[in-house]
Amino acid sequence: MLIILSLLLLGITFWTGSDLLTKHLLALSYRTIDKLQADQMTQVIFMMSFTVLDTQIEQDKTLTKVNINIGNSLLKSVEMEFPKSNFDEVAIAKTFGLYPQVKKIKNNQPLTVNIPVVLKAIKAEIKQEKKLTFVEVITANKSLIKLNFLFPTTEINMIESMTTQVLNLQSEDVKKLVRYQMRR
């Protein structure tokens, strides 16, 4: 009987003590050393000289979509979206940081731009048979939606190196953002 009472007393003491300890530990605030920074996007200043080959403007009720084909060895096209207005050319010039000096971008016009770009993702579609890689850079900018590049290589190290160079990024940033897709 004495053994049962002592075991019962020991059990109650253990249960009460563990309950108090649990409540105390759960009440403490813990600080983490490594924080998840999922909402932080990479920002770069996109600097490039190119010649505008062709500008295609599509309008619907609320938006104006612009696709600019570019004569450059790597950069092939730029896609933009703006709220619909009567001044699409001015909006394009503002996106490229050229307004008020340039009010309208014309075909065969050479341009040098420095655009702040917030990067969302980089998609690299490797075309094995043609020995080319089509790279689509998706941005979080309000008007500049995509930058499209064409690299004359299918080697991943070269694709990452060229993307790093063109976008003026660190190689770690490119490796975090890029996703590959193989095509035959």
Side-chain angles (χ1 to χ4, degrees):
M1 179 87 162
L2 188 61
I3 295 174
I4 294 174
L5 274 173
S6 62
L7 284 176
L8 184 62
L9 185 60
L10 182 67
I12 292 172
T13 305
F14 181 74
W15 178 60
T16 307
S18 64
D19 184 51
L20 292 172
L21 181 65
T22 302
K23 286 180 181 178
H24 176 71
L25 289 175
L26 289 176
L28 294 176
S29 66
Y30 291 97
R31 297 179 190 255
T32 58
I33 296 170
D34 298 324
K35 295 178 183 177
L36 179 62
Q37 296 179 357
D39 60 343
Q40 193 173 36
M41 293 191 195
T42 305
Q43 183 168 358
V44 298
I45 303 293
F46 177 68
M47 298 177 282
M48 187 168 267
S49 297
F50 54 85
T51 302
V52 175
L53 295 180
D54 182 31
T55 304
Q56 300 158 1
I57 299 174
E58 296 177 25
Q59 291 186 335
D60 63 16
K61 292 179 181 176
T62 58
L63 284 176
T64 298
K65 294 182 181 183
V66 179
N67 188 7
I68 300 174
N69 294 320
I70 292 173
N72 181 300
S73 60
L74 299 176
L75 181 64
K76 294 301 174 191
S77 66
V78 175
E79 293 179 32
M80 296 181 247
E81 282 185 352
F82 308 102
K84 187 175 178 181
S85 74
N86 295 330
F87 305 105
D88 295 327
E89 291 84 10
V90 172
I92 295 168
K94 281 184 178 179
T95 299
F96 283 136
L98 302 171
Y99 186 82
Q101 295 85 2
V102 176
K103 291 186 173 56
K104 183 176 181 180
I105 295 177
K106 302 172 188 129
N107 291 346
N108 298 317
Q109 180 178 7
L111 298 173
T112 300
V113 297
N114 295 322
I115 308 169
V117 177
V118 179
L119 303 176
K120 270 187 179 176
I122 301 171
K123 295 180 185 178
E125 184 179 316
I126 300 171
K127 298 185 179 187
Q128 290 281 6
E129 288 181 4
K130 295 182 180 180
K131 305 270 190 242
L132 296 171
T133 301
F134 178 76
V135 177
E136 180 179 75
V137 178
I138 302 168
T139 74
N141 290 31
K142 288 182 182 178
S143 56
L144 181 65
I145 304 299
K146 292 180 189 169
L147 300 165
N148 297 314
F149 297 93
L150 190 62
F151 295 149
T153 184
T154 57
E155 295 178 36
I156 291 180
N157 290 341
M158 289 298 295
I159 295 166
E160 287 177 359
S161 174
M162 293 172 92
T163 305
T164 299
Q165 203 171 22
V166 168
L167 294 175
N168 196 22
L169 280 172
Q170 300 293 323
S171 61
E172 299 85 38
D173 292 331
V174 171
K175 288 178 183 180
K176 283 192 287 187
L177 292 169
V178 72
R179 300 295 175 257
Y180 295 98
Q181 185 176 28
M182 299 288 243
R183 299 270 185 199
R184 296 248 173 235

